[in-house]
Amino acid sequence: MKYLKNNSKLLLSILFIVGFTFFNIQSIKAATITWDGSESVTWATDDNWVGGTAPVSGDDVVINGSYASAPTLDLTGGSATFNSVTVGSSADSILTISNSTTTKKLITTANFTIGANGTTTHTANGGVQTHSLVIDVGGDALITGYMDVNGKGHSSGQGPGTGGTQGQ
């Protein structure tokens, strides 16, 4: 009894912290992060985003025109996961994805949307295929715009099916 009496403030503090944390986990929502492209095409540059912070895992990403430079999401270091990504819902917008294998992809836990004014593409390949458009969507893929891979394949005379005689 003496132990509880002496430590009641500590116990109440611990219970308060645990309770506060438990109940507030439910209220944590993804932040909506909007591209402004004011510094460069680099996705990870904080100054390219309204509010000065690049999106992190779980955020809702919006790319919707009114920018100086269109974003390039560099996945060469690994896949990137966001809650949702929306490209070109009301203004001309382009998202370019740069990856080095098909295992490095853009992942959304909710929707991936290319609006009527949006285009999603990947970095052009040269003699070897190093870039692909790989998107893993946990919700709905809503595409009224474009997924543009035209001219993004191998250089002329490179890649599978070029040169040689059939059957060799």
Side-chain angles (χ1 to χ4, degrees):
M1 185 73 158
K2 184 177 180 182
Y3 175 77
L4 286 176
K5 186 176 184 181
N6 290 338
N7 292 304
S8 63
K9 286 183 182 178
L10 176 62
L11 183 60
L12 284 173
S13 296
I14 291 170
L15 288 173
F16 174 77
I17 290 169
V18 169
F20 181 79
T21 302
F22 176 76
F23 290 111
N24 280 306
I25 286 175
Q26 299 299 321
S27 65
I28 296 174
K29 292 186 176 186
T32 299
I33 310 295
T34 303
W35 176 262
D36 73 16
S38 57
E39 293 295 316
S40 66
V41 301
T42 307
W43 183 281
T45 301
D46 288 338
D47 288 340
N48 281 324
W49 299 92
V50 173
T53 303
V56 295
S57 181
D59 284 342
D60 293 311
V61 177
V62 176
I63 301 160
N64 195 38
S66 300
Y67 50 73
S69 303
T72 297
L73 175 57
D74 184 355
L75 299 176
T76 54
S79 296
T81 303
F82 303 102
N83 186 53
S84 68
V85 174
T86 302
V87 181
S89 61
S90 64
D92 290 344
S93 305
I94 299 172
L95 168 61
T96 301
I97 296 176
S98 178
N99 57 1
S100 55
T101 70
T102 57
T103 61
K104 296 176 182 176
K105 54 192 169 183
L106 169 60
I107 302 166
T108 63
T109 54
N111 298 340
F112 177 77
T113 304
I114 303 174
N117 300 294
T119 300
T120 299
T121 188
H122 66 77
T123 304
N125 288 299
V128 220
Q129 181 176 350
T130 55
H131 302 285
S132 314
L133 194 54
V134 184
I135 304 168
D136 185 345
V137 181
D140 293 327
L142 308 165
I143 302 171
T144 55
Y146 301 96
M147 295 185 93
D148 180 12
V149 294
N150 187 32
K152 303 289 181 159
H154 296 283
S155 297
S156 178
Q158 302 293 317
T162 60
T165 304
Q166 268 188 319
Q168 288 186 357

